[in-house]
Amino acid sequence: MSDDKVEDVVTKTLEATPKGATHWSTRGMAKHSGLSHATISRIWRAFGLQPHRTETFKLSPDPLLVDKVRDIVGLYMDPPANALVLCVAEKSQIQALKRTHPMLPMSPGQAQRGTHDYRRNGTTSLLAALDVATGNVIGQLHRRHRSVEFRKFLDLIEASVPLALDVHLVMDNYSTHKSPLIRNWLACQEAPLPRPLHPDLRLLDQPGGTLVRAAHPASDQEGLASQCP
Protein backbone atom coordinates (compact mmCIF):
# COMPACT_ATOMS: atom_id res chain seq x y z
CA MET A 1 0.00 0.00 0.00
CA SER A 2 1.42 3.36 -1.02
CA ASP A 3 2.08 6.26 1.30
CA ASP A 4 -0.30 8.36 -0.78
CA LYS A 5 -3.16 6.00 0.00
CA VAL A 6 -2.39 6.17 3.74
CA GLU A 7 -2.13 9.95 3.59
CA ASP A 8 -5.46 10.17 1.76
CA VAL A 9 -7.21 8.03 4.40
CA VAL A 10 -5.77 10.07 7.27
CA THR A 11 -6.61 13.39 5.59
CA LYS A 12 -10.17 12.35 4.79
CA THR A 13 -10.67 11.07 8.34
CA LEU A 14 -9.47 14.33 9.86
CA GLU A 15 -10.89 16.89 7.46
CA ALA A 16 -14.05 15.45 5.90
CA THR A 17 -17.27 13.72 6.89
CA PRO A 18 -19.16 11.14 4.85
CA LYS A 19 -22.37 12.11 3.09
CA GLY A 20 -25.42 11.51 5.25
CA ALA A 21 -23.42 10.58 8.37
CA THR A 22 -21.72 12.31 11.28
CA HIS A 23 -18.44 10.39 11.20
CA TRP A 24 -16.54 7.79 9.22
CA SER A 25 -16.85 4.07 9.85
CA THR A 26 -14.20 1.57 8.74
CA ARG A 27 -16.51 0.20 6.07
CA GLY A 28 -17.56 3.65 4.93
CA MET A 29 -13.96 4.75 4.56
CA ALA A 30 -13.09 1.44 2.90
CA LYS A 31 -15.78 1.96 0.29
CA HIS A 32 -14.64 5.54 -0.29
CA SER A 33 -10.93 4.72 -0.56
CA GLY A 34 -11.10 1.34 -2.29
CA LEU A 35 -9.27 -0.40 0.58
CA SER A 36 -10.50 -3.14 2.90
CA HIS A 37 -12.08 -2.24 6.24
CA ALA A 38 -9.31 -4.22 8.00
CA THR A 39 -6.73 -2.00 6.31
CA ILE A 40 -8.61 1.12 7.40
CA SER A 41 -8.63 -0.20 10.97
CA ARG A 42 -4.85 -0.72 10.88
CA ILE A 43 -4.27 2.79 9.54
CA TRP A 44 -6.50 4.35 12.20
CA ARG A 45 -4.80 2.39 14.97
CA ALA A 46 -1.37 3.40 13.68
CA PHE A 47 -2.29 7.11 13.75
CA GLY A 48 -4.43 6.95 16.92
CA LEU A 49 -7.63 7.94 15.10
CA GLN A 50 -11.03 7.10 16.60
CA PRO A 51 -13.73 8.86 14.56
CA HIS A 52 -16.55 7.22 16.56
CA ARG A 53 -15.47 8.84 19.82
CA THR A 54 -15.96 12.37 21.15
CA GLU A 55 -14.83 14.04 24.36
CA THR A 56 -15.67 17.34 26.02
CA PHE A 57 -13.53 20.17 27.36
CA LYS A 58 -14.08 23.45 29.16
CA LEU A 59 -12.00 26.60 28.95
CA SER A 60 -12.27 28.79 32.01
CA PRO A 61 -12.12 32.56 31.51
CA ASP A 62 -11.08 33.04 35.15
CA PRO A 63 -7.61 34.66 35.23
CA LEU A 64 -7.10 33.33 38.77
CA LEU A 65 -8.01 29.73 37.90
CA VAL A 66 -4.53 28.34 38.58
CA ASP A 67 -4.35 30.00 41.99
CA LYS A 68 -7.79 28.71 42.90
CA VAL A 69 -7.01 25.18 41.78
CA ARG A 70 -3.87 25.26 43.90
CA ASP A 71 -5.93 26.52 46.83
CA ILE A 72 -8.36 23.59 46.60
CA VAL A 73 -5.75 20.93 45.91
CA GLY A 74 -3.51 22.32 48.64
CA LEU A 75 -6.38 22.12 51.11
CA TYR A 76 -6.80 18.44 50.29
CA MET A 77 -3.12 17.53 50.12
CA ASP A 78 -1.82 19.60 53.03
CA PRO A 79 -4.71 20.58 55.33
CA PRO A 80 -4.14 22.95 58.26
CA ALA A 81 -3.17 21.48 61.60
CA ASN A 82 -6.07 20.15 63.68
CA ALA A 83 -8.46 20.46 60.75
CA LEU A 84 -10.76 18.12 58.87
CA VAL A 85 -11.39 18.66 55.14
CA LEU A 86 -14.73 17.36 53.87
CA CYS A 87 -15.91 17.14 50.28
CA VAL A 88 -19.66 17.84 50.36
CA ALA A 89 -22.01 16.81 47.56
CA GLU A 90 -25.63 15.92 46.93
CA LYS A 91 -27.34 13.30 44.83
CA SER A 92 -30.94 14.32 44.37
CA GLN A 93 -33.91 12.60 42.76
CA ILE A 94 -32.70 9.09 43.59
CA GLN A 95 -35.46 6.68 42.64
CA ALA A 96 -36.48 4.43 45.52
CA LEU A 97 -37.25 1.24 43.60
CA LYS A 98 -38.18 -2.17 44.94
CA ARG A 99 -38.50 -5.37 42.93
CA THR A 100 -41.94 -6.94 42.93
CA HIS A 101 -40.47 -10.19 44.33
CA PRO A 102 -37.36 -10.97 46.40
CA MET A 103 -34.11 -11.66 44.60
CA LEU A 104 -33.36 -15.31 43.86
CA PRO A 105 -29.86 -16.14 45.09
CA MET A 106 -27.04 -17.44 42.94
CA SER A 107 -26.68 -21.21 42.67
CA PRO A 108 -24.25 -23.50 40.81
CA GLY A 109 -24.69 -22.79 37.12
CA GLN A 110 -27.25 -20.03 37.77
CA ALA A 111 -26.64 -16.32 38.29
CA GLN A 112 -28.54 -14.24 40.83
CA ARG A 113 -31.93 -13.32 39.40
CA GLY A 114 -34.41 -10.52 39.94
CA THR A 115 -37.75 -9.65 38.43
CA HIS A 116 -37.74 -7.32 35.45
CA ASP A 117 -40.46 -5.15 36.99
CA TYR A 118 -40.39 -3.01 40.12
CA ARG A 119 -42.45 -0.72 42.31
CA ARG A 120 -41.71 3.00 42.52
CA ASN A 121 -41.57 4.36 46.07
CA GLY A 122 -40.93 8.00 45.22
CA THR A 123 -37.54 9.69 45.29
CA THR A 124 -35.01 10.61 47.93
CA SER A 125 -31.99 12.94 48.13
CA LEU A 126 -28.63 11.92 49.57
CA LEU A 127 -26.42 14.56 51.23
CA ALA A 128 -22.91 13.34 51.93
CA ALA A 129 -19.58 14.63 53.21
CA LEU A 130 -16.49 12.60 52.30
CA ASP A 131 -13.33 12.69 54.37
CA VAL A 132 -10.87 12.15 51.53
CA ALA A 133 -8.03 11.29 53.91
CA THR A 134 -9.82 8.33 55.53
CA GLY A 135 -12.69 7.50 53.18
CA ASN A 136 -15.26 8.00 55.94
CA VAL A 137 -18.62 9.43 54.84
CA ILE A 138 -21.15 11.45 56.81
CA GLY A 139 -24.49 10.96 55.09
CA GLN A 140 -28.13 11.89 55.46
CA LEU A 141 -31.26 11.19 53.39
CA HIS A 142 -34.07 13.69 52.87
CA ARG A 143 -37.28 13.66 50.84
CA ARG A 144 -36.50 17.17 49.55
CA HIS A 145 -33.36 19.13 48.78
CA ARG A 146 -33.69 22.68 50.07
CA SER A 147 -31.76 25.03 52.32
CA VAL A 148 -33.67 23.67 55.30
CA GLU A 149 -32.48 20.13 54.63
CA PHE A 150 -28.92 21.27 53.95
CA ARG A 151 -28.97 23.20 57.22
CA LYS A 152 -29.90 19.97 59.04
CA PHE A 153 -27.03 18.24 57.28
CA LEU A 154 -24.60 20.89 58.51
CA ASP A 155 -25.86 20.21 62.03
CA LEU A 156 -25.06 16.53 61.48
CA ILE A 157 -21.53 17.37 60.36
CA GLU A 158 -21.12 19.64 63.36
CA ALA A 159 -22.21 16.86 65.71
CA SER A 160 -20.13 14.15 64.00
CA VAL A 161 -16.69 15.79 64.01
CA PRO A 162 -14.48 15.66 67.14
CA LEU A 163 -14.47 18.89 69.13
CA ALA A 164 -10.72 19.35 68.69
CA LEU A 165 -10.95 19.80 64.93
CA ASP A 166 -11.79 22.72 62.71
CA VAL A 167 -13.82 21.80 59.64
CA HIS A 168 -13.20 22.94 56.07
CA LEU A 169 -15.90 22.27 53.49
CA VAL A 170 -15.34 21.87 49.76
CA MET A 171 -18.69 22.27 48.00
CA ASP A 172 -20.09 23.13 44.61
CA ASN A 173 -21.82 26.36 43.74
CA TYR A 174 -25.35 25.04 44.16
CA SER A 175 -27.90 27.70 45.11
CA THR A 176 -28.84 25.83 48.29
CA HIS A 177 -25.31 26.37 49.60
CA LYS A 178 -25.52 30.14 49.10
CA SER A 179 -28.99 30.87 50.47
CA PRO A 180 -29.38 33.49 53.24
CA LEU A 181 -30.18 30.71 55.73
CA ILE A 182 -26.86 28.94 55.10
CA ARG A 183 -24.76 32.11 54.78
CA ASN A 184 -26.16 33.42 58.03
CA TRP A 185 -25.54 30.13 59.82
CA LEU A 186 -21.93 30.01 58.65
CA ALA A 187 -21.33 33.60 59.69
CA CYS A 188 -22.74 32.87 63.14
CA GLN A 189 -20.25 30.05 63.71
CA GLU A 190 -17.15 32.23 63.90
CA ALA A 191 -16.80 33.23 67.55
CA PRO A 192 -18.92 31.35 70.08
CA LEU A 193 -18.17 27.75 69.08
CA PRO A 194 -14.86 26.06 69.92
CA ARG A 195 -15.00 24.20 66.58
CA PRO A 196 -16.66 26.26 63.83
CA LEU A 197 -17.38 25.04 60.35
CA HIS A 198 -15.03 27.16 58.34
CA PRO A 199 -16.93 30.24 57.06
CA ASP A 200 -14.46 30.68 54.20
CA LEU A 201 -16.17 28.31 51.75
CA ARG A 202 -14.18 26.75 48.94
CA LEU A 203 -16.64 26.16 46.14
CA LEU A 204 -16.49 24.11 42.97
CA ASP A 205 -18.44 26.07 40.40
CA GLN A 206 -20.28 23.43 38.38
CA PRO A 207 -22.03 25.73 35.85
CA GLY A 208 -18.74 27.35 34.87
CA GLY A 209 -16.67 24.24 35.38
CA THR A 210 -14.05 26.20 37.31
CA LEU A 211 -12.76 26.10 40.83
CA VAL A 212 -13.56 29.24 42.79
CA ARG A 213 -12.93 30.45 46.28
CA ALA A 214 -15.93 32.35 47.58
CA ALA A 215 -14.91 33.97 50.83
CA HIS A 216 -17.50 36.37 52.20
CA PRO A 217 -16.17 39.95 52.27
CA ALA A 218 -15.58 41.38 55.75
CA SER A 219 -18.45 43.87 55.39
CA ASP A 220 -20.74 41.03 54.35
CA GLN A 221 -19.65 38.96 57.34
CA GLU A 222 -20.43 41.81 59.70
CA GLY A 223 -23.89 42.19 58.23
CA LEU A 224 -24.61 38.50 58.55
CA ALA A 225 -23.21 38.27 62.05
CA SER A 226 -25.53 41.05 63.19
CA GLN A 227 -28.47 38.77 62.36
CA CYS A 228 -27.24 35.97 64.63
CA PRO A 229 -29.36 35.13 67.67
Side-chain angles (χ1 to χ4, degrees):
M1 182 173 50
S2 67
D3 291 342
D4 290 341
K5 277 284 189 180
V6 173
E7 182 180 355
D8 181 64
V9 169
V10 173
T11 302
K12 287 290 185 182
T13 304
L14 293 175
E15 300 180 1
T17 55
K19 184 178 181 180
T22 59
H23 58 270
W24 290 104
S25 65
T26 54
R27 283 173 170 78
M29 180 59 75
K31 183 178 180 180
H32 175 80
S33 63
L35 303 173
S36 69
H37 69 87
T39 300
I40 299 300
S41 293
R42 288 196 296 270
I43 294 173
W44 283 356
R45 284 197 299 271
F47 285 86
L49 299 175
Q50 297 177 314
H52 62 289
R53 295 186 61 188
T54 60
E55 296 179 350
T56 60
F57 68 95
K58 178 67 181 181
L59 297 178
S60 172
D62 189 348
L64 298 178
L65 176 65
V66 174
D67 294 334
K68 293 171 181 178
V69 170
R70 287 174 175 167
D71 189 29
I72 298 292
V73 175
L75 186 62
Y76 277 128
M77 301 297 294
D78 187 20
N82 299 319
L84 178 66
V85 179
L86 297 175
C87 178
V88 175
E90 298 83 19
K91 176 62 177 176
S92 60
Q93 298 298 311
I94 301 173
Q95 293 194 69
L97 305 178
K98 184 177 181 180
R99 298 292 170 182
T100 54
H101 296 283
M103 298 289 291
L104 298 180
M106 176 180 60
S107 60
Q110 179 66 62
Q112 177 179 269
R113 290 167 291 169
T115 59
H116 72 281
D117 54 344
Y118 50 81
R119 299 188 185 95
R120 295 181 183 272
N121 297 303
T123 60
T124 187
S125 294
L126 170 66
L127 285 75
L130 170 66
D131 180 354
V132 178
T134 65
N136 293 329
V137 176
I138 302 171
Q140 197 172 60
L141 292 172
H142 289 282
R143 292 297 299 272
R144 302 183 66 180
H145 184 203
R146 303 168 299 175
S147 298
V148 174
E149 285 76 27
F150 187 66
R151 170 71 171 78
K152 293 178 181 177
F153 181 56
L154 290 177
D155 285 337
L156 175 63
I157 294 176
E158 178 73 10
S160 301
V161 178
L163 293 175
L165 297 179
D166 289 336
V167 180
H168 294 253
L169 301 183
V170 178
M171 303 188 295
D172 61 23
N173 208 19
Y174 188 60
S175 58
T176 298
H177 303 156
K178 303 184 295 182
S179 68
L181 175 66
I182 302 304
R183 287 164 58 88
N184 187 37
W185 186 86
L186 290 171
C188 292
Q189 303 305 304
E190 286 187 288
L193 297 180
R195 176 183 39 81
L197 274 95
H198 202 288
D200 181 11
L201 294 177
R202 275 94 169 156
L203 305 177
L204 177 60
D205 185 1
Q206 288 180 331
T210 59
L211 290 163
V212 302
R213 179 177 179 177
H216 301 315
S219 59
D220 190 16
Q221 285 283 8
E222 293 173 0
L224 291 171
S226 64
Q227 304 174 29
C228 299

